[in-house]
Amino acid sequence: MVLWLWRGLTFTCHCFVLGIVRLWILMCGMLTANMSIMACPSSCHCIDKNGLTVVQCMSRNLEKIPPDLPRDTVVLLLAANHITHIPNHAFRELHYLQELDLSSNDIETVDPGAFQGVSDSLLMLDLSNNHIQSVPKEAFARLRAKISLSNNPWHCECTLQEVLRELRLDPETVNEVICHTAVQEEYAGKPVIHVLDSGINFCNFHHKTTDVAMFVTMFGWFTMVIAYVIYYVRHNQEDARRHLEYLKSLPSNSQISKDFDTISTVL
């Protein structure tokens, strides 16, 4: 009887200890996961504003986007740094991101998949005051955010026209999206929207330029073929003339017969 009670007590204690261990492991795992989600980059300052995680990385001399941003970030402020490039999947883990400020950087290139992963959640994107001349059409695909693209050295051509057609531009800064250069120089220095609203189609210029280039190339090939044919004919004519002069220089059959008769008579 005592042995039975001892075994039961031992089993109960074992189960109790095992339960505590499992609970401890679970709590540690949850704490670790929570810390990984809430971790703040050393170069930034993270605050909780009305239950929303705001990550402030402004004026920190950053040259690239921090890779270890909290996954629950709602507002990300990266303005006034030295970021030059937005790579593919730069914000892929930030599924709650609503506002992204990349203004006043040195951004020159934006990869096609730069904003993949935040296209559904993002509501505001600021790329103003950078060095962007052009962007691939895929970069802003499916973005519903209000976007500011003002004060960039845009090159106005067909791709930019197709990009702008799909975007929801910030109405307060839309007139500050200026053609720094253009396929037609007369449009440089003018707001892109005003140029497009006037009926100008940069894609038509692109096609015309392509047609002219093809015509010039074909004309060049045609000229080369004609020049070769002329050279070939003249070269053959010269060879034929020399061959004819050579034949004329040969003694005729009648002269050879006369010489043979003369030799026979002498003999």
Side-chain angles (χ1 to χ4, degrees):
M1 184 67 178
V2 174
L3 180 61
W4 182 82
L5 289 174
W6 172 255
R7 288 180 179 177
L9 181 61
T10 303
F11 179 76
T12 303
C13 292
H14 176 75
C15 291
F16 178 73
V17 172
L18 184 60
I20 291 177
V21 171
R22 288 179 176 176
L23 180 61
W24 174 257
I25 293 175
L26 179 62
M27 291 178 65
C28 288
M30 292 177 62
L31 181 60
T32 303
N34 188 56
M35 289 178 63
S36 66
I37 292 175
M38 298 300 295
C40 187
S42 58
S43 57
C44 303
H45 177 60
C46 300
I47 60 175
D48 187 300
K49 189 174 182 181
N50 299 325
L52 304 178
T53 301
V54 178
V55 181
Q56 297 179 344
C57 310
M58 300 175 295
S59 303
R60 300 300 178 95
N61 293 318
L62 299 176
E63 295 182 356
K64 60 181 181 179
I65 298 167
D68 51 349
L69 294 165
R71 295 185 180 181
D72 62 342
T73 300
V74 176
V75 178
L76 177 56
L77 307 176
L78 288 162
N81 284 290
H82 303 293
I83 299 170
T84 59
H85 173 224
I86 307 179
N88 288 322
H89 311 298
F91 313 100
R92 179 175 53 187
E93 303 295 335
L94 308 183
H95 302 299
Y96 305 102
L97 187 63
Q98 296 182 12
E99 181 178 341
L100 175 59
D101 187 355
L102 286 159
S103 63
S104 300
N105 275 278
D106 300 320
I107 299 171
E108 296 180 353
T109 56
V110 180
D111 283 354
F115 302 105
Q116 284 185 2
V118 297
S119 57
D120 293 330
S121 63
L122 197 62
L123 301 178
M124 183 179 299
L125 172 62
D126 193 344
L127 288 168
S128 61
N129 297 291
N130 279 285
H131 305 311
I132 308 172
Q133 295 183 341
S134 63
V135 290
K137 291 185 290 186
E138 301 83 3
F140 300 128
R142 295 177 300 183
L143 273 181
R144 300 177 298 174
K146 181 171 65 175
I147 302 177
S148 178
L149 299 174
S150 60
N151 298 314
N152 280 284
W154 293 108
H155 176 63
C156 291
E157 39 77 44
C158 184
T159 300
L160 180 62
Q161 175 179 312
E162 293 179 344
V163 168
L164 295 181
R165 184 183 298 141
E166 304 296 329
L167 296 185
R168 180 184 162 215
L169 294 175
D170 179 12
E172 296 182 2
T173 60
V174 66
N175 291 327
E176 298 173 10
V177 183
I178 308 294
C179 293
H180 183 71
T181 57
V183 289
Q184 293 285 83
E185 292 184 4
E186 60 188 287
Y187 302 116
K190 297 182 179 180
V192 182
I193 297 301
H194 291 182
V195 174
L196 297 178
D197 286 346
S198 67
I200 299 302
N201 189 336
F202 290 120
C203 294
N204 286 342
F205 295 136
H206 174 75
H207 294 321
K208 289 179 180 178
T209 302
T210 303
D211 292 342
V212 170
M214 291 181 61
F215 175 77
V216 171
T217 303
M218 292 178 64
F219 180 78
W221 278 105
F222 181 74
T223 302
M224 291 177 60
V225 171
I226 294 299
Y228 176 77
V229 170
I230 294 175
Y231 168 79
Y232 180 80
V233 170
R234 288 183 176 179
H235 183 73
N236 283 352
Q237 287 180 340
E238 184 67 22
D239 287 346
R241 185 183 62 79
R242 287 198 297 266
H243 185 66
L244 183 61
E245 290 179 352
Y246 171 74
L247 292 176
K248 288 181 178 180
S249 66
L250 294 176
S252 62
N253 292 333
S254 58
Q255 182 64 37
I256 294 175
S257 299
K258 289 180 180 180
D259 292 342
F260 182 78
D261 293 340
T262 302
I263 292 173
S264 299
T265 304
V266 171
L267 291 174

